[in-house]
Amino acid sequence: MKDLMGMMKQAKAMQEKMQGLQAEIAETTASGQAGGGVVSVTLKGTGELVSVELDPSLLKPDEKDILEDLLVAAHADAKRKLDAVVQEKTQALTAGLPLPPGMKLPF
């Protein structure tokens, strides 16, 4: 019974840490670039797009397709960086826990 109480305390502590981590991740930002920096986007940890910066040279009507592709590429770059930060923070929190391989946190 003592082991069960200890496990419950550990689970509660882990839950509190996960809530703190989720709040921290929500405030984290990551920026991505494309086209050698002519397009830059910034994402919050929630995935919300918070800013877009465009080099004025891209604002030509005949280059609309290029701009669209660069925006998508910059967003993907920022998302990759954000995912790496989330994974790093999550691994630091869950270090030493016997989690199944491939299990991603936060849920």
Side-chain angles (χ1 to χ4, degrees), residues 58-106:
L58 293 173
L59 302 177
K60 298 176 185 172
D62 59 330
E63 294 185 1
K64 179 182 175 284
D65 293 340
I66 294 171
L67 179 56
E68 290 170 347
D69 291 343
L70 290 172
L71 282 167
V72 170
H75 183 277
D77 184 42
K79 181 74 170 117
R80 271 192 304 277
K81 291 175 181 177
L82 188 59
D83 288 346
V85 169
V86 169
Q87 182 178 8
E88 182 181 308
K89 289 178 184 276
T90 302
Q91 284 178 345
L93 178 68
T94 60
L97 289 177
L99 296 175
M103 183 174 183
K104 292 186 176 188
L105 294 173

Side-chain angles (χ1 to χ4, degrees), residues 17-29 44-46 82 85-86 89:
K17 287 180 181 179
M18 285 302 296
Q19 288 172 342
L21 176 63
Q22 288 173 336
E24 183 180 340
I25 288 171
E27 294 304 314
T28 300
T29 61
K44 287 179 73 171
T46 58
L82 188 59
V85 169
V86 169
K89 289 178 184 276

Side-chain angles (χ1 to χ4, degrees), residues 30-34 37 39-43 70 73-79 81:
S31 295
Q33 297 183 347
V39 173
S40 178
V41 301
T42 301
L43 300 177
L70 290 172
H75 183 277
D77 184 42
K79 181 74 170 117
K81 291 175 181 177

